Amino acid sequence: MSTTQEKIREIEEELRRTKVNKATESHIGRLKAKIAKLKREEQEQIMAKSGKGGAGYDVKKSGDSSVALIGLPSVGKSTLLGRLTNKESKTGHYAFTTLEAIPGIMEYKGTKVQIIDLPGIISGASKGKGRGKQVLGVARSADLILIVLDVFEAEIQMKLILEELYHFGIRLDQKKPDVYIEKTNSGGIAIASIHKLTKIDEATIKAIMNEYRIINANVTIRTDIDADQLIDILEGNRVYIPSVVAVNKVDLATPERIKELKKKMKIDIFISAETNYNMDELKELLFEKLDLIRIYLKPYGGETDFEEPLIMKRGSTVEDVCDRLHRDMKKEFKFARVWGKSAKHEGQRVMLNHVLEDEDILTIVKSRN
Ligand SMILES: Nc1nc2c(ncn2[C@@H]2O[C@H](COP(=O)(O)OP(=O)(O)OP(=O)(O)O)[C@@H](O)[C@H]2O)c(=O)[nH]1
Ligand SMILES: [Mg+2]
């Protein structure tokens, strides 16, 4: 065991021994920050050691959005890729059939979603075990992570996956906490929070920040954060990704087992890649969670193109559409007209900041028209 690992273990031990109450809150915060820093050090050591041979998978992005398949070996990820896309990935009844990242394209409701099949992960993946770094590296840059579990081992697999993802800096189904830190030269740490902070107090914030050698700063907080989230912000390098949890091979399980799992854990969908059970439902769920919207373009004075909608992230504005269409579009923009859910009335006249909705029809009027 390295000295870094020893130190981590020691502090983790102290953390376990410390009773959680008002008096120990800032001490606990400081210990957590120490652990985070040491873990980063450990991670850097691992990265340095595995140096060359550890190049990441080179997955070329394509489609409107991407989904990474994460699960233990043999849970059925490759079989699932074959069901969701037109791509074949070798399947087998033995572990580690897949050794690389294999992308396929799922076409659904006019969108093209890249689904990436990956080798199974194992305990210690985030520390580089069994191609873990490469696999989790792909997961980090995906728009959504589809967690695939085996119906008979769902509980233990889920626990392992969550730990590995967390340790690799992936925060699932969490919005990036809105915390803004502006370093200053004097005056100590001034905290301004928009809402009441219920999970962390000022002393703890200061203790954690001191651990990161920040003595003077203006901190603006707009999320009800806890100590871990503040540490995430200070560490940086975290990614915030939505997930879907699917339990596979339910064709092999009894109704009792399914009921038990439903009671025990939060599962989004039960599937069988083998028998195609709930495959359409899974596609719909992925589509919903990816939060994509379809925009039908109607050229000025022309017909609406319902065949090939523009696929955008939810929350996109007319300005985002302009940027997607052409680099200079914004310069020539005069106004736009919208029909559909986001319009107050049919053909509403809107400007660049207008937020669009799924299946809106949009006409952009350029100043030259
Ligand atoms: N009964 C049943 N078997 C399945 C199902 N999905 C996959 N399998 C079988 O499970 C085995 C493993 O499937 P794979 O798709 O290769 O699993 P994987 O997760 O890609 O495995 P690795 O690449 O080794 O990580 C194969 O023998 C599949 O035929 C399912 O829904 N039901
Ligand atoms: Mg596979």
Side-chain angles (χ1 to χ4, degrees):
M1 205 189 293
S2 73
T3 49
T4 314
Q5 279 172 321
E6 261 166 45
K7 276 190 223 155
I8 293 172
R9 191 160 291 191
E10 263 168 40
I11 302 174
E12 278 177 342
E13 190 49 45
E14 183 177 350
L15 196 55
R16 254 189 299 275
R17 271 187 278 115
T18 311
K19 282 210 185 73
V20 182
N21 59 46
K22 226 47 245 124
T24 59
E25 194 179 327
S26 64
H27 180 61
I28 288 174
R30 193 176 296 127
L31 293 179
K32 283 183 167 173
K34 279 194 169 54
I35 292 172
K37 279 166 46 185
L38 285 165
K39 285 199 168 162
R40 169 158 43 89
E41 213 172 90
E42 184 192 23
Q43 201 69 8
E44 280 160 4
Q45 285 166 5
I46 291 163
M47 295 292 173
K49 236 191 262 165
S50 60
K52 299 169 224 103
Y57 290 133
D58 189 13
V59 186
K60 197 160 160 268
K61 281 232 169 193
S62 80
D64 305 304
S65 212
S66 65
V67 174
L69 298 184
I70 292 293
L72 273 77
S74 291
V75 297
K77 300 179 294 300
S78 299
T79 311
L80 189 56
L81 180 82
R83 296 299 186 193
L84 295 175
T85 75
N86 47 8
K87 184 86 177 193
E88 287 283 329
S89 175
K90 195 176 163 202
T91 63
H93 55 273
Y94 49 94
F96 298 112
T97 309
T98 308
L99 300 173
E100 290 201 53
I102 310 211
I105 291 284
M106 171 180 105
E107 296 201 24
Y108 190 72
K109 289 191 171 170
T111 67
K112 288 186 170 66
V113 178
Q114 183 178 44
I115 312 268
I116 309 166
D117 182 26
L118 290 160
I121 63 164
I122 52 174
S123 178
S126 56
K127 294 181 182 173
K129 282 225 180 90
R131 292 189 181 75
K133 265 190 336 186
Q134 290 94 318
V135 172
L136 293 169
V138 172
R140 268 185 75 108
S141 59
D143 294 307
L144 185 141
I145 293 175
L146 174 53
I147 297 177
V148 187
L149 305 171
D150 183 293
V151 70
F152 295 112
E153 289 167 52
E155 300 93 330
I156 185 163
Q157 291 184 347
M158 186 70 187
K159 185 164 174 284
L160 185 152
I161 290 168
L162 291 181
E163 275 171 16
E164 298 300 334
L165 292 176
Y166 193 88
H167 191 251
F168 211 70
I170 299 172
R171 299 291 172 266
L172 287 185
D173 304 303
Q174 209 194 93
K175 258 206 177 149
K176 184 176 180 179
D178 191 343
V179 177
Y180 181 70
I181 298 168
E182 181 201 11
K183 288 187 192 165
T184 52
N185 292 327
S186 61
I189 291 173
I191 301 161
S193 56
I194 308 300
H195 306 288
K196 193 172 158 35
L197 297 176
T198 62
K199 301 169 200 160
I200 192 167
D201 61 14
E202 288 214 1
T204 308
I205 294 175
K206 286 178 184 167
I208 290 173
M209 298 202 43
N210 286 343
E211 205 46 57
Y212 285 87
R213 296 188 204 290
I214 301 174
I215 315 294
N216 300 304
N218 292 326
V219 188
T220 312
I221 306 175
R222 292 193 185 82
T223 308
D224 191 14
I225 51 164
D226 60 20
D228 295 314
Q229 287 173 307
L230 177 60
I231 292 167
D232 277 345
I233 292 291
L234 290 161
E235 281 286 325
N237 201 24
R238 305 289 193 242
V239 291
Y240 298 83
I241 306 179
S243 73
V244 166
V245 179
V247 168
N248 190 34
K249 304 195 186 183
V250 298
D251 55 299
L252 302 176
T254 60
E256 286 73 40
R257 172 61 182 154
I258 311 258
K259 223 193 218 161
E260 182 194 5
L261 270 181
K262 274 187 188 159
K263 225 190 272 167
K264 272 191 179 166
M265 327 169 29
K266 208 194 133 301
I267 288 157
D268 295 309
I269 191 164
F270 288 85
I271 58 170
S272 167
E274 192 79 17
T275 68
N276 253 330
Y277 171 69
N278 264 351
M279 283 301 117
D280 287 338
E281 287 76 2
L282 176 58
K283 285 182 186 176
E284 174 63 27
L285 192 57
L286 292 175
F287 175 75
E288 280 170 21
K289 276 273 185 142
L290 281 167
D291 237 4
L292 300 172
I293 57 171
R294 295 157 287 178
I295 306 297
Y296 304 112
L297 294 176
K298 179 180 177 331
Y300 187 69
E303 292 294 318
T304 308
D305 177 5
F306 287 108
E307 291 300 312
E308 282 190 49
L310 203 63
I311 309 298
M312 306 287 301
K313 284 235 136 231
R314 189 177 300 281
S316 293
T317 59
V318 174
E319 181 172 5
D320 295 325
V321 170
C322 286
D323 288 342
R324 171 78 76 84
L325 290 175
H326 191 273
R327 181 151 51 88
D328 291 329
M329 195 70 148
K330 240 175 359 201
K331 280 192 224 146
E332 298 165 12
F333 179 88
K334 197 167 165 198
F335 64 89
R337 288 202 185 277
V338 193
W339 293 258
K341 278 184 230 152
S342 81
K344 282 205 197 91
H345 54 83
E346 296 298 277
Q348 186 195 348
R349 185 183 161 126
V350 298
M351 298 311 282
L352 285 173
N353 61 358
H354 180 79
V355 177
L356 295 159
E357 274 291 339
D358 190 27
E359 300 209 78
D360 275 354
I361 295 171
L362 178 70
T363 294
I364 292 171
V365 182
K366 295 193 255 181
S367 47
R368 284 194 271 110
N369 282 314

